[in-house]
Amino acid sequence: MKRLAGRAAFFLLVLAIVAYTVFPFYWAVVSSLKGGSALFSVEAWPSAPEWSNYVAVFQEQPFGRNILNSVFVAGSVVALSLFLGVTAAFALGRVRFRGRATLLLVILGVSMFPQVAVLSGLFELIRALGLYNNLFGLTLSYLIFTLPFTVWVLTTYMRELPVELEEAAVMDGASPFVVLTRIFLPLMGPAVVTTGLLAFIAAWNEFLFALTFTLTDEMRTVPVAIALISGSSSFELPWGRIMAASVIVTVPLIALVLVFQRRIVSGLTAGAVKG
Amino acid sequence: MVVPPERALVVSSPLARQKRRTAWLFLAPVLLTLAGIAGWPLARTIWFSLTDARLDALDSFDFVGLENYQFLLTDPDWWVAVRNTLVFAGISVTLETLLGIIIALVLNARMRGRGMLRAAMLIPWAIPTVVSAQMWGWMLHDQYGVINEILVWLGLIAEPVAWTAGHGTALAAVIAVDVWKTTPFLALLTLAALQLVPEELHEAAEIDGLGPVGRFFRITLPLIWPALMVAIIFRTLDALRVFDLMYVLTGNSRATASMSVYARQQLVDFQDVGYGSAAATGLFLVIALVTALFITFGRVRLGAEPGR
């Protein structure tokens, strides 16, 4: 009897945890499907679900363009940080040289300092390069936070590859570049996918730089577009449209996360716990 | 964890020397990029903080010494922002850690559907902060919010509350959203650490008559402490520089403005690059101080080689 009560309590706890984590997203979906005044009545599922909010999101602002912007910025950030990260991780993970530990600490330190602390300096730099209100300006600035952890996580993975593989290749006269691209890179597949995914999510979600370094609606990324959605009057926000936009950008992320959940968890732990 | 046998590489043969040279070559792009987009802007920000630069005329400014810092130290709004940030970071990280441990312990139990549960945990983590702020902003809406509706129905409050506008509740609302969004991160890291705790230890302790609570505090907690501490440090540093949540949920409102919000408002909205940079440098110093305190008192060895 006591055991049964314990199990029931445990089950309730699990249920509470699931409800807590999933409910806000569920509520966003429900609200996004309500048109007109239905939005202002609380019901668990809209009695007359409709897509009008989803249509309005794309009609009232260049939201399609915003999505493309985000895809471009996040994609280019991932490509650049993986390329730079893999080469740096090879040096940091496979070669012993003086100052290696210090370098790793410096790189980690970069990921810790606040984005606001570089805001004015970066603003000046981006304007000088002619990249203000330009997506390349965002790509460049996002490397600040994706590069450190890409290097850090890839280094921890790189360290664990067996040294015999490398020795055999070097005996055969392979150059370090060949060792990296032909031998290590194929083995690093999972690690590269994981770090790439984490970098993508970080870049996709970034707000402060995107808000500060872009000016026109056409250059906004998705988070800025969602934060700045406003209605006809400044007092009433178009909540239905905001929820629709939120659902649109979140669904692909959730799909990615569900497909790659094991990899993501291992990447997060490699980044933080093993660090 | 096994450290790769690097001994073979230590021998300073010509081959090893060549390898070291290649290593620096491989590192150069990353180091140059980071120096360009992080080191240089940081130095410029610190330099700007000693000038009267304006955003619309960044190339002509005068050196004013520590004047900006004098203003900063006497501005009550800055101290409100410092207090907001510290309260936010302190409370949200504490709650996240406690909740994270509880959730991790639940997830660690053997049961059906554990994978599904873990996947559900990742949802808040993956949702952009801006989106979660908007979602909660709607749920906390003073007139039509579902949270008011539920609380009134339960009889916990007599009438709807303007959560994000109220003086005492705005910061609490911001903290609640942050706890929702980042508890999963701590739970998953704690879970990873929990799964490394050997089963035999628990069995031995059970035989010795230690209860579940005793087992947790005497065995589990000390073993997961190093991993937990690293996660807490990461989260704290993250919380100290919080910007998106406040900006989206409550705008530049003084009741919730964090140091980042304050600095950006001066920098961009008021175009005062000199003063805003001083505030940003102030935040930088606070974070450096907190990191130093953590490393000293948390007995963490950041950057320690794995397995050593």
Side-chain angles (χ1 to χ4, degrees):
Chain A
M1 195 60 203
K2 197 177 161 197
R3 214 192 159 113
L4 200 69
R7 285 197 67 142
F10 185 77
F11 182 71
L12 277 180
L13 188 61
V14 170
L15 218 59
I17 293 173
V18 173
Y20 177 61
T21 50
V22 177
F23 180 77
F25 182 65
Y26 166 77
W27 194 246
V29 174
V30 169
S31 305
S32 71
L33 292 171
K34 290 177 179 172
S37 58
L39 188 60
F40 305 123
S41 61
V42 172
E43 45 189 352
W45 188 253
S47 45
E50 50 175 288
W51 295 102
S52 59
N53 289 318
Y54 288 86
V55 177
V57 166
F58 289 95
Q59 274 171 354
E60 307 279 325
Q61 67 244 27
F63 198 66
R65 177 67 203 264
N66 297 144
I67 292 177
L68 288 181
N69 289 346
S70 274
V71 169
F72 171 79
V73 172
S76 57
V77 167
V78 168
L80 266 174
S81 26
L82 281 183
F83 174 73
L84 293 171
V86 165
T87 46
F90 178 69
L92 289 166
R94 304 304 301 190
V95 187
R96 271 208 154 180
F97 56 89
R98 221 178 302 163
R100 188 178 62 164
T102 322
L103 263 183
L104 268 169
L105 264 185
V106 169
I107 291 175
L108 186 72
V110 171
S111 73
M112 285 188 179
F113 70 63
Q115 277 176 289
V116 160
V118 291
L119 204 61
S120 47
L122 205 54
F123 189 84
E124 185 197 35
L125 182 74
I126 280 180
R127 261 228 303 238
L129 293 172
L131 294 177
Y132 180 64
N133 200 27
N134 184 316
L135 296 179
F136 288 105
L138 294 186
T139 303
L140 192 66
S141 55
Y142 286 6
L143 290 175
I144 286 187
F145 55 86
T146 57
L147 217 43
F149 88 78
T150 316
V151 171
W152 188 262
V153 175
L154 287 176
T155 302
T156 48
Y157 275 104
M158 196 76 94
R159 270 186 193 154
E160 282 163 30
L161 296 176
V163 75
E164 288 77 18
L165 283 172
E166 191 181 352
E167 277 172 350
V170 173
M171 291 292 181
D172 291 345
S175 72
F177 185 73
V178 171
V179 172
L180 172 62
T181 51
R182 294 286 172 75
I183 297 172
F184 283 152
L185 214 48
L187 293 172
M188 296 277 290
V192 168
V193 171
T194 305
T195 41
L197 217 63
L198 293 177
F200 187 90
I201 292 175
W204 182 269
N205 295 356
E206 202 282 335
F207 181 64
L208 177 57
F209 287 164
L211 179 71
T212 310
F213 300 148
T214 58
L215 188 65
T216 53
D217 281 347
E218 280 71 33
M219 285 297 159
R220 300 293 194 196
T221 56
V222 162
V224 185
I226 291 181
L228 299 183
I229 288 181
S230 53
S232 40
S233 82
S234 56
F235 296 103
E236 210 35 74
L237 288 172
W239 285 107
R241 237 162 71 204
I242 295 177
M243 290 304 115
S246 301
V247 172
I248 294 170
V249 300
T250 308
V251 164
L253 281 186
I254 291 183
L256 273 181
V257 162
L258 294 187
V259 172
F260 292 105
Q261 57 148 319
R262 267 173 205 288
R263 296 236 167 114
I264 290 180
V265 172
S266 79
L268 285 177
T269 41
V273 178
K274 288 182 193 167
Chain B
M1 200 179 320
V2 184
V3 179
E6 289 176 298
R7 260 168 279 111
L9 308 173
V10 181
V11 190
S12 195
S13 61
L15 201 68
R17 237 173 298 141
Q18 188 218 335
K19 213 179 151 182
R20 273 202 293 273
R21 226 174 305 138
T22 322
W24 281 106
L25 199 69
F26 274 29
L27 268 172
V30 166
L31 296 181
L32 287 176
T33 312
L34 284 181
I37 59 170
W40 168 253
L42 181 65
R44 284 301 281 179
T45 300
I46 295 172
W47 168 242
F48 277 139
S49 75
L50 302 172
T51 70
D52 61 358
R54 313 257 329 150
L55 198 64
D56 41 12
L58 261 184
D59 28 11
S60 64
F61 49 78
D62 291 315
F63 181 79
V64 295
L66 293 175
E67 207 173 89
N68 288 323
Y69 290 95
Q70 263 167 15
F71 274 122
L72 193 67
L73 292 179
T74 52
D75 182 7
D77 282 0
W78 164 253
W79 291 109
V80 170
V82 172
R83 190 197 69 102
N84 284 344
T85 311
L86 294 179
V87 168
F88 169 83
I91 297 184
S92 60
V93 173
T94 308
L95 287 177
E96 282 154 29
T97 310
L98 295 177
L99 271 177
I101 292 176
I102 293 173
I103 294 178
L105 286 172
V106 170
L107 285 175
N108 199 31
R110 254 188 235 101
M111 60 173 164
R112 240 181 301 163
R114 188 163 79 169
M116 290 276 290
L117 203 55
R118 205 171 59 170
M121 294 304 302
L122 278 169
I123 290 178
W125 171 83
I127 290 181
T129 312
V130 169
V131 170
S132 43
Q134 293 281 35
M135 280 178 0
W136 280 84
W138 172 232
M139 294 197 340
L140 291 166
H141 195 274
D142 51 351
Q143 283 169 294
Y144 312 114
V146 64
I147 289 179
N148 273 329
E149 198 81 22
I150 292 174
L151 290 179
V152 169
W153 182 72
L154 286 175
L156 290 175
I157 50 174
E159 54 191 38
V161 176
W163 297 104
T164 54
H167 202 74
T169 54
L171 194 57
V174 171
I175 291 173
V177 181
D178 191 68
V179 168
W180 176 77
K181 170 142 176 62
T182 42
T183 297
F185 173 78
L186 268 156
L188 290 170
L189 293 186
T190 313
L191 178 64
L194 276 179
Q195 286 174 340
L196 295 177
V197 177
E199 192 80 8
E200 300 84 52
L201 276 178
H202 279 281
E203 282 160 11
E206 210 171 347
I207 292 167
D208 287 348
L210 215 56
V213 178
R215 286 208 295 276
F216 176 75
F217 282 105
R218 307 277 278 284
I219 295 170
T220 315
L221 195 58
L223 282 172
I224 63 170
W225 184 248
L228 198 60
M229 202 59 207
V230 174
I232 291 176
I233 293 180
F234 272 75
R235 268 304 307 147
T236 308
L237 297 179
D238 223 30
L240 286 174
R241 60 190 171 192
V242 62
F243 172 79
D244 319 16
L245 260 186
M246 277 92 169
Y247 188 84
V248 176
L249 208 58
T250 54
N252 284 330
S253 150
R254 186 173 181 265
T256 55
S258 65
M259 288 188 265
S260 285
V261 171
Y262 179 91
R264 186 190 177 276
Q265 191 184 19
Q266 301 295 337
L267 251 165
V268 180
D269 299 346
F270 303 153
Q271 306 262 313
D272 197 339
V273 171
Y275 187 59
S277 299
T281 311
L283 170 60
F284 182 72
L285 292 177
V286 168
I287 289 189
L289 186 74
V290 171
T291 314
L293 285 177
F294 261 128
I295 293 180
T296 319
F297 294 106
R299 282 187 231 125
V300 207
R301 293 180 309 140
L302 275 178
E305 303 260 331
R308 279 183 204 170

Coordinates of all heavy atoms in Angstrom, one line a residue, chain B residues 267-308:
Chain B
L267 N 23.9 53.6 -24.2 CA 24.7 53.5 -25.4 C 23.9 53.8 -26.7 O 24.4 54.6 -27.5 CB 25.3 52.1 -25.6 CG 26.7 51.9 -25.3 CD1 27.0 50.4 -25.1 CD2 27.5 52.4 -26.5
V268 N 22.8 53.1 -26.8 CA 22.1 53.2 -28.1 C 20.9 54.2 -28.0 O 20.9 55.1 -28.9 CB 21.5 51.8 -28.5 CG1 20.8 51.9 -29.8 CG2 22.6 50.8 -28.6
D269 N 20.0 54.1 -27.0 CA 18.9 55.0 -27.0 C 19.3 56.4 -26.7 O 18.8 57.4 -27.3 CB 17.9 54.5 -25.9 CG 17.4 53.1 -26.2 OD1 17.6 52.7 -27.4 OD2 16.8 52.4 -25.4
F270 N 20.2 56.6 -25.8 CA 20.7 58.0 -25.4 C 21.9 58.4 -26.2 O 22.5 59.5 -26.0 CB 20.9 58.1 -23.9 CG 19.7 57.8 -23.1 CD1 19.8 57.3 -21.8 CD2 18.4 57.9 -23.6 CE1 18.7 57.0 -21.0 CE2 17.3 57.6 -22.9 CZ 17.4 57.1 -21.6
Q271 N 22.5 57.5 -27.0 CA 23.6 57.7 -27.9 C 24.9 58.1 -27.1 O 25.8 58.6 -27.7 CB 23.3 58.9 -28.9 CG 22.0 58.7 -29.7 CD 22.3 58.1 -31.0 OE1 23.1 58.6 -31.8 NE2 21.6 57.1 -31.4
D272 N 24.9 57.9 -25.8 CA 26.0 58.3 -25.0 C 27.0 57.2 -24.9 O 27.0 56.4 -23.9 CB 25.5 58.7 -23.6 CG 26.6 59.5 -22.9 OD1 27.8 59.4 -23.2 OD2 26.2 60.3 -21.9
V273 N 27.9 57.0 -25.9 CA 28.8 55.9 -25.9 C 29.8 55.9 -24.8 O 30.1 54.9 -24.2 CB 29.6 55.9 -27.3 CG1 30.7 54.9 -27.3 CG2 28.6 55.6 -28.4
G274 N 30.3 57.1 -24.4 CA 31.2 57.2 -23.3 C 30.7 56.7 -22.0 O 31.2 55.7 -21.4
Y275 N 29.5 57.2 -21.7 CA 28.9 56.8 -20.4 C 28.4 55.3 -20.5 O 28.6 54.5 -19.5 CB 27.7 57.7 -20.1 CG 27.1 57.5 -18.8 CD1 27.8 57.6 -17.6 CD2 25.7 57.1 -18.6 CE1 27.3 57.4 -16.4 CE2 25.2 56.9 -17.4 CZ 25.9 57.0 -16.3 OH 25.4 56.8 -15.0
G276 N 27.8 54.9 -21.6 CA 27.3 53.5 -21.7 C 28.5 52.6 -21.6 O 28.4 51.5 -21.1
S277 N 29.6 52.9 -22.2 CA 30.8 52.1 -22.2 C 31.3 51.9 -20.7 O 31.8 50.9 -20.3 CB 31.9 52.6 -23.0 OG 31.5 52.7 -24.4
A278 N 31.2 53.0 -20.0 CA 31.6 53.0 -18.6 C 30.7 51.9 -17.8 O 31.2 51.1 -17.0 CB 31.5 54.3 -17.9
A279 N 29.4 52.0 -18.1 CA 28.5 51.0 -17.5 C 28.8 49.6 -17.9 O 28.8 48.7 -17.1 CB 27.0 51.4 -17.8
A280 N 29.1 49.4 -19.2 CA 29.5 48.1 -19.7 C 30.7 47.6 -19.1 O 30.8 46.4 -18.7 CB 29.6 48.1 -21.2
T281 N 31.7 48.5 -18.9 CA 32.9 48.1 -18.2 C 32.7 47.7 -16.8 O 33.2 46.8 -16.2 CB 34.0 49.2 -18.3 OG1 34.0 49.7 -19.6 CG2 35.3 48.8 -17.8
G282 N 31.7 48.5 -16.2 CA 31.3 48.2 -14.8 C 30.8 46.7 -14.7 O 31.2 46.0 -13.8
L283 N 29.9 46.4 -15.6 CA 29.4 45.0 -15.7 C 30.5 44.0 -15.8 O 30.5 42.9 -15.2 CB 28.3 44.9 -16.8 CG 27.9 43.5 -17.1 CD1 27.2 42.8 -15.9 CD2 26.9 43.5 -18.3
F284 N 31.4 44.3 -16.7 CA 32.6 43.4 -17.0 C 33.3 43.2 -15.7 O 33.7 42.0 -15.4 CB 33.5 44.1 -18.1 CG 34.6 43.2 -18.4 CD1 34.5 42.1 -19.2 CD2 35.9 43.6 -18.0 CE1 35.6 41.3 -19.5 CE2 37.0 42.8 -18.3 CZ 36.8 41.7 -19.1
L285 N 33.6 44.2 -14.9 CA 34.3 44.1 -13.7 C 33.5 43.3 -12.7 O 34.1 42.4 -12.0 CB 34.6 45.5 -13.1 CG 35.6 46.3 -13.9 CD1 35.8 47.7 -13.3 CD2 36.9 45.6 -14.0
V286 N 32.2 43.5 -12.6 CA 31.4 42.7 -11.7 C 31.5 41.2 -12.0 O 31.7 40.4 -11.1 CB 29.9 43.1 -11.7 CG1 29.0 42.1 -11.0 CG2 29.8 44.5 -11.1
I287 N 31.4 40.9 -13.3 CA 31.5 39.5 -13.7 C 32.9 38.9 -13.4 O 33.0 37.8 -12.9 CB 31.1 39.4 -15.2 CG1 29.6 39.6 -15.3 CG2 31.5 38.0 -15.8 CD1 29.0 39.3 -16.7
A288 N 33.9 39.7 -13.7 CA 35.3 39.2 -13.4 C 35.4 38.9 -11.9 O 36.0 37.9 -11.5 CB 36.3 40.2 -13.8
L289 N 34.8 39.8 -11.1 CA 34.9 39.6 -9.6 C 34.2 38.3 -9.2 O 34.7 37.5 -8.4 CB 34.3 40.8 -8.9 CG 34.4 40.9 -7.4 CD1 35.8 41.3 -7.0 CD2 33.4 41.9 -6.9
V290 N 33.0 38.1 -9.7 CA 32.2 37.0 -9.4 C 32.9 35.7 -9.8 O 33.0 34.7 -9.0 CB 30.8 37.0 -10.0 CG1 30.1 35.7 -9.8 CG2 30.0 38.1 -9.4
T291 N 33.5 35.7 -11.0 CA 34.3 34.5 -11.4 C 35.4 34.2 -10.5 O 35.6 33.1 -10.1 CB 34.8 34.8 -12.9 OG1 33.8 35.4 -13.7 CG2 35.3 33.5 -13.5
A292 N 36.1 35.3 -10.1 CA 37.3 35.1 -9.2 C 36.8 34.5 -7.9 O 37.4 33.6 -7.3 CB 38.0 36.4 -9.0
L293 N 35.7 35.0 -7.4 CA 35.1 34.5 -6.1 C 34.8 33.0 -6.2 O 35.1 32.2 -5.3 CB 33.9 35.3 -5.7 CG 34.1 36.7 -5.1 CD1 32.8 37.4 -4.8 CD2 34.9 36.6 -3.9
F294 N 34.1 32.7 -7.3 CA 33.7 31.3 -7.5 C 35.0 30.4 -7.6 O 35.0 29.3 -6.9 CB 33.0 31.2 -8.9 CG 31.5 31.1 -8.7 CD1 30.7 32.0 -9.4 CD2 30.9 30.3 -7.8 CE1 29.3 32.0 -9.3 CE2 29.5 30.2 -7.7 CZ 28.8 31.1 -8.4
I295 N 36.0 30.8 -8.3 CA 37.1 29.9 -8.5 C 37.9 29.8 -7.2 O 38.4 28.7 -6.8 CB 38.0 30.5 -9.6 CG1 37.3 30.4 -11.0 CG2 39.3 29.7 -9.7 CD1 38.0 30.8 -12.2
T296 N 37.9 30.9 -6.4 CA 38.6 30.8 -5.1 C 37.8 29.9 -4.1 O 38.4 29.0 -3.5 CB 38.7 32.2 -4.5 OG1 39.1 33.1 -5.5 CG2 39.8 32.2 -3.4
F297 N 36.5 30.2 -4.0 CA 35.7 29.5 -2.9 C 35.0 28.3 -3.3 O 34.7 27.4 -2.5 CB 34.7 30.5 -2.3 CG 35.4 31.6 -1.6 CD1 35.4 32.9 -2.1 CD2 36.0 31.4 -0.4 CE1 36.0 34.0 -1.5 CE2 36.6 32.5 0.3 CZ 36.6 33.7 -0.3
G298 N 34.8 28.1 -4.7 CA 34.1 26.9 -5.1 C 35.1 25.8 -5.4 O 34.7 24.7 -5.7
R299 N 36.4 26.1 -5.2 CA 37.4 25.1 -5.4 C 37.2 24.4 -6.7 O 37.2 23.2 -6.8 CB 37.5 24.1 -4.3 CG 38.2 24.7 -3.1 CD 38.4 23.7 -2.0 NE 37.9 24.2 -0.7 CZ 37.0 23.6 0.0 NH1 36.5 22.4 -0.4 NH2 36.6 24.1 1.1
V300 N 37.1 25.2 -7.8 CA 36.9 24.6 -9.1 C 38.2 24.8 -9.8 O 38.9 25.8 -9.7 CB 35.9 25.3 -10.0 CG1 35.3 24.4 -11.0 CG2 34.8 25.9 -9.1
R301 N 38.6 23.8 -10.6 CA 39.7 24.0 -11.5 C 39.3 24.0 -12.9 O 39.2 23.1 -13.6 CB 40.7 22.8 -11.3 CG 41.3 22.9 -9.8 CD 42.3 21.7 -9.7 NE 41.7 20.5 -10.1 CZ 42.3 19.5 -10.7 NH1 43.6 19.7 -11.1 NH2 41.7 18.4 -11.0
L302 N 39.0 25.3 -13.3 CA 38.5 25.4 -14.7 C 39.7 25.2 -15.6 O 40.8 25.6 -15.3 CB 38.0 26.9 -14.9 CG 36.6 27.1 -14.5 CD1 36.3 28.6 -14.7 CD2 35.7 26.3 -15.4
G303 N 39.5 24.5 -16.7 CA 40.5 24.3 -17.6 C 41.5 23.2 -17.2 O 42.5 23.0 -17.8
A304 N 41.2 22.5 -16.1 CA 42.0 21.4 -15.7 C 41.9 20.3 -16.8 O 40.9 20.2 -17.4 CB 41.5 20.8 -14.4
E305 N 43.0 19.6 -17.0 CA 43.0 18.6 -18.0 C 42.0 17.5 -17.6 O 41.9 17.2 -16.4 CB 44.4 18.0 -18.1 CG 45.5 19.0 -18.4 CD 45.9 19.0 -19.8 OE1 45.8 18.0 -20.5 OE2 46.3 20.1 -20.3
P306 N 41.3 17.0 -18.6 CA 40.3 15.9 -18.2 C 41.0 14.8 -17.5 O 42.1 14.4 -18.0 CB 39.7 15.6 -19.5 CG 40.5 16.1 -20.6 CD 41.3 17.3 -20.0
G307 N 40.3 14.2 -16.5 CA 40.8 13.0 -15.9 C 42.0 13.2 -15.0 O 42.6 12.3 -14.4
R308 N 42.4 14.5 -14.7 CA 43.6 14.7 -13.8 C 43.1 15.4 -12.6 O 42.2 16.2 -12.6 CB 44.6 15.5 -14.5 CG 45.5 14.7 -15.4 CD 46.6 15.5 -16.0 NE 47.0 14.8 -17.3 CZ 47.8 15.3 -18.1 NH1 48.3 16.5 -17.9 NH2 48.1 14.7 -19.2

